[in-house]
Amino acid sequence: MGANKPKPPSAARNLEVRPRAEGANKPKPSSAARILEVRPRAEGVNKPKPSSAARTLKSGRNSHNPMHAEDTIAAIATAQGESGISIIRISGPDAIAVADRVCLDRNRNKRIKSFAPNTIHLGYAADADGGILDEVLVSVFKAPSSYTAEDTVEINTHGGIYVTHRVLDAVLAAGCRLAEPGEFTKRAFLAGRIDLAEAEAVMDVISSESEFARKAAVSALTGTLSGKVRDMRERILYETAFIESALDDPENYDLDGYAEKLREKTLALIREMSALLSRASDGAVLKEGIRTAIIGKPNAGKSSLLNALSGEDRAIVTEIAGTTRDTLEEKVRIGECVLRLIDTAGIRNTEDVVEKIGVSRARSAAAEADLLLAVFDASKELAGEDEEIASLVREAAARGKRAVAILNKSDLPARIREEEITALLEKGPDGCVAEGDPGAASPAVPPVSVPILTLSLAEPFTGLEELKSEILSLFGAGELMRSREALLVNRRHAEAMAEARAALQQVLAGIDSGVSEEFYAGDLMAAYAALGRIIGEQVDDDLAEEIFSRFCLGK
Ligand code: GDP
């Protein structure tokens, strides 16, 4: 791309749209030189100042938006249900005045306005007529030292559903509106207290269901990923600024031999991005839970496997073939991860309408799964249905999906051996891939290597622990858990980084084809912009809106 551009892109022009990190004022072309002089690279890891997205949203482009930050909002921040306490959070310029209208101190005086910031007080919440609603604790935070970076008051009520709503009603009647889902966190983002990756991490911490998901979310929340991204952006910006400066001021900035230096620096960036990206897809799968389809002919032991893994009688186990007609999803924790198990209807040719739906679901579940657990009944001769199972496994493996073949019922006299399963998976039923079989892998697909484990799912189970560790190792869970590096587990972030890497690869292509330096600047800035989307420096309003709307109410 770099080599074919009709006109050298102006780094200066790109720098003009550049967001916050480089100072509040738009730099003029000559300011590129200033950046080189006054901005040491290490600065990139500092906490963000208000992001450009924040400025854009605040600056009126978004004034139609109900989620603007000028008014005062309130919501119940705790889960709805009976509990020890509930918290009502109020944020915005009138937060303290609103709380003052509702809350009394322990002597039943209205004194909230005079409370020192960051203090907690025992008192009462009262309705408009002065009737006491509940005994409460009132916490007062002054801007910018609060979650939202605005004045914030949190009222801890007793955790009854009714009493909490009565206090919330009193707060709303005292002069604020109900917050939208995620609006408190959005305000923290708009105020520049956290960046977009950190805001998303808040939601990820809340929704994490496994140690891996929690660890990845906290790593993003504490800014590990953002710091890495900022550092990369600073390094890219430095090069852009250098090129621009050299073009503006060739006497002081020498481009002789620069292409080779840029090549090395770009390669280093590409390597760092590749290291993050290489683990991104497994990380995302582990974070969200491994979508696992259990497939096998009727009675092979699929429901028994689901039950054994989940440790409870979730799916109905029966001796009548074909009773598991629908699909069930069960979340099962194994080690530090979660399997999202889908028990599929037995795969077989059937005239039964209900079962037909189940069979097609089994096929589509297999197509969607990150992991296939293919169950074969070792106590029965291989049947045509097993061939279909094997072909589903081959297709999945050919698409880069993981699969484990399970030779079940090892407690009964064996009718099939492991080698037969190996042969079936590698070559198909007759030692070659059957032509014209719509379910079979195409002859072009190379033989797949799928681990085969022998299990018994009749009590006492055997082989279950081996199966669990095999699954974790297939997804590199141990290595990812031990990693102290930033983890790129959010698919949106991974896409943006892949785009940034592609742009840097264009820079390399430009250097290799010997085009002049100014051509690189456009691709460097494309990489810079793509990285900016991760932390929210360059996001459009719709994306920010979409991300925050996924939050729960009161967060
Ligand atoms: P599905 O149709 O594939 O879901 O199979 P089920 O899990 O419902 O199992 C079918 C029958 O096989 C049930 O009676 C199970 O108790 C039995 N079964 C499953 N696994 C084993 C095993 O490892 N050994 C023995 N002996 N029986 C098993």
Side-chain angles (χ1 to χ4, degrees):
M1 178 180 151
N4 304 333
K5 279 197 184 108
K7 202 160 82 67
S10 156
R13 216 174 35 238
N14 286 309
L15 288 170
E16 277 188 350
V17 295
R18 204 185 51 210
R20 81 139 188 112
E22 296 68 49
N25 299 328
K26 284 180 184 173
K28 295 168 197 68
S30 60
S31 69
R34 265 205 319 277
I35 292 169
L36 291 175
E37 284 151 23
V38 299
R39 294 186 55 80
R41 274 197 244 166
E43 222 177 286
V45 294
N46 288 347
K47 268 281 179 197
K49 298 177 196 73
S51 69
S52 64
R55 285 204 305 274
T56 315
L57 290 173
K58 263 185 179 169
S59 64
R61 201 143 68 80
N62 235 43
S63 50
H64 61 281
N65 190 328
M67 287 171 84
H68 57 85
E70 277 94 46
D71 55 357
T72 298
I73 54 171
I76 299 167
T78 39
Q80 311 268 332
E82 283 188 18
S83 59
I85 58 165
S86 292
I87 300 176
I88 292 156
R89 183 183 268 164
I90 313 167
S91 180
D94 294 332
I96 292 171
V98 166
D100 195 65
R101 280 174 216 132
V102 174
C103 297
L104 310 167
D105 70 5
R106 61 200 305 180
N107 301 316
R108 306 197 179 200
N109 294 320
K110 292 199 179 259
R111 283 201 322 112
I112 311 297
K113 273 183 179 158
S114 62
F115 286 169
N118 308 324
T119 55
I120 302 176
H121 303 264
L122 182 64
Y124 301 96
D127 62 18
D129 304 325
I132 303 289
L133 294 170
D134 194 8
E135 186 183 54
V136 297
L137 273 181
V138 183
S139 314
V140 180
F141 307 90
K142 285 288 280 182
S145 303
S146 72
Y147 181 74
T148 55
E150 301 175 326
D151 282 356
T152 299
V153 176
E154 288 181 3
I155 304 174
N156 293 19
T157 67
H158 288 107
I161 300 171
Y162 182 72
V163 70
T164 309
H165 278 91
R166 283 296 306 274
V167 176
L168 176 67
D169 288 345
V171 166
L172 295 174
C176 58
R177 70 168 168 85
L178 192 63
E180 306 276 337
E183 195 171 1
F184 293 100
T185 309
K186 184 173 186 180
R187 288 185 174 202
F189 166 66
L190 291 176
R193 194 185 68 73
I194 54 175
D195 66 34
L196 196 58
E198 290 164 343
E200 288 172 290
V202 169
M203 186 169 56
D204 286 343
V205 171
I206 293 172
S207 62
S208 61
E209 292 178 313
S210 68
E211 180 57 12
F212 179 80
R214 182 204 63 77
K215 194 181 165 198
V218 168
S219 148
L221 182 68
T222 52
T224 313
L225 176 69
S226 299
K228 184 94 193 145
V229 168
R230 277 175 213 288
D231 173 60
M232 288 175 171
R233 292 185 93 217
E234 288 286 327
R235 286 152 64 190
I236 292 169
L237 188 67
Y238 184 91
E239 301 311 323
T240 318
F242 186 85
I243 295 169
E244 191 64 26
S245 303
L247 295 174
D248 279 0
D249 184 6
E251 282 179 18
N252 286 312
Y253 294 92
D254 189 0
L255 282 173
D256 263 2
Y258 172 71
E260 202 35 50
K261 283 188 198 141
L262 179 63
R263 163 178 250 289
E264 274 170 35
K265 290 176 180 178
T266 306
L267 264 177
L269 278 162
I270 289 175
R271 278 196 206 103
E272 286 167 44
M273 291 175 173
S274 298
L276 283 168
L277 283 167
S278 69
R279 300 181 306 181
S281 136
D282 281 348
V285 167
L286 290 177
K287 177 189 141 206
E288 288 157 20
I290 304 166
R291 285 168 305 174
T292 306
I294 303 176
I295 59 171
K297 70 184 171 195
N299 266 346
K302 298 178 298 300
S303 306
S304 303
L305 177 60
L306 176 77
N307 291 341
L309 286 168
S310 63
E312 60 183 68
D313 283 345
R314 174 75 175 82
I316 306 150
V317 181
T318 166
E319 286 179 32
I320 306 157
T323 43
T324 314
R325 292 181 171 183
D326 209 338
T327 59
L328 298 164
E329 186 175 308
E330 179 86 347
K331 285 185 183 166
V332 177
R333 200 177 316 283
I334 59 164
E336 280 92 13
C337 303
V338 164
L339 289 193
R340 284 164 50 198
L341 280 164
I342 303 161
D343 181 26
T344 55
I347 293 184
R348 60 176 196 168
N349 295 322
T350 171
E351 290 307 308
D352 182 315
V353 178
V354 181
E355 265 193 26
K356 265 191 174 164
I357 296 169
V359 168
S360 79
R361 282 193 192 176
R363 289 208 180 93
S364 63
E368 284 165 22
D370 305 310
L371 171 69
L372 280 191
L373 298 179
V375 186
F376 297 92
D377 184 343
S379 70
K380 296 218 167 66
E381 303 285 338
L382 280 177
E385 291 142 316
D386 292 314
E387 291 162 17
E388 190 163 357
I389 299 295
S391 80
L392 282 175
V393 171
R394 275 198 305 275
E395 284 166 28
R399 290 196 313 272
K401 302 287 178 188
R402 271 72 156 195
V404 180
I406 293 161
L407 204 46
N408 189 32
K409 307 199 187 181
S410 61
D411 55 303
L412 299 177
R415 290 278 171 78
I416 42 176
R417 290 170 296 116
E418 195 175 310
E419 299 82 72
E420 290 173 70
I421 301 290
T422 311
L424 193 64
L425 290 171
E426 282 183 356
K427 303 190 199 114
D430 316 322
C432 64
V433 175
E435 273 185 19
D437 176 359
S442 82
V445 175
V448 293
S449 154
V450 172
I452 302 173
L453 297 181
T454 301
L455 261 74
S456 167
L457 293 168
E459 303 264 12
F461 305 139
T462 56
L464 203 57
E465 291 311 311
E466 288 77 2
L467 174 64
K468 290 179 184 174
S469 14
E470 182 68 42
I471 292 170
L472 292 179
S473 78
L474 277 177
F475 287 87
E479 190 239 327
L480 279 169
M481 271 303 288
R482 283 188 297 275
S483 166
R484 288 177 180 272
E485 294 282 296
L487 290 169
L488 197 65
V489 295
N490 175 314
R491 293 179 197 269
R492 185 183 79 76
H493 299 169
E495 273 168 27
M497 187 154 298
E499 204 178 297
R501 181 177 63 176
L504 291 184
Q505 279 158 345
Q506 290 297 331
V507 174
L508 284 188
I511 295 172
D512 288 345
S513 57
V515 298
S516 79
E517 282 76 7
E518 59 263 39
F519 282 100
Y520 312 148
D523 291 323
L524 284 169
M525 287 313 289
Y528 179 86
L531 289 175
R533 290 211 308 275
I534 297 177
I535 51 177
E537 293 285 357
Q538 275 151 337
V539 287
D540 59 37
D541 300 356
D542 291 348
L543 177 66
E545 218 54 69
E546 207 264 317
I547 287 171
F548 286 102
S549 67
R550 280 185 256 143
F551 275 59
C552 40
L553 208 63
K555 190 67 223 175

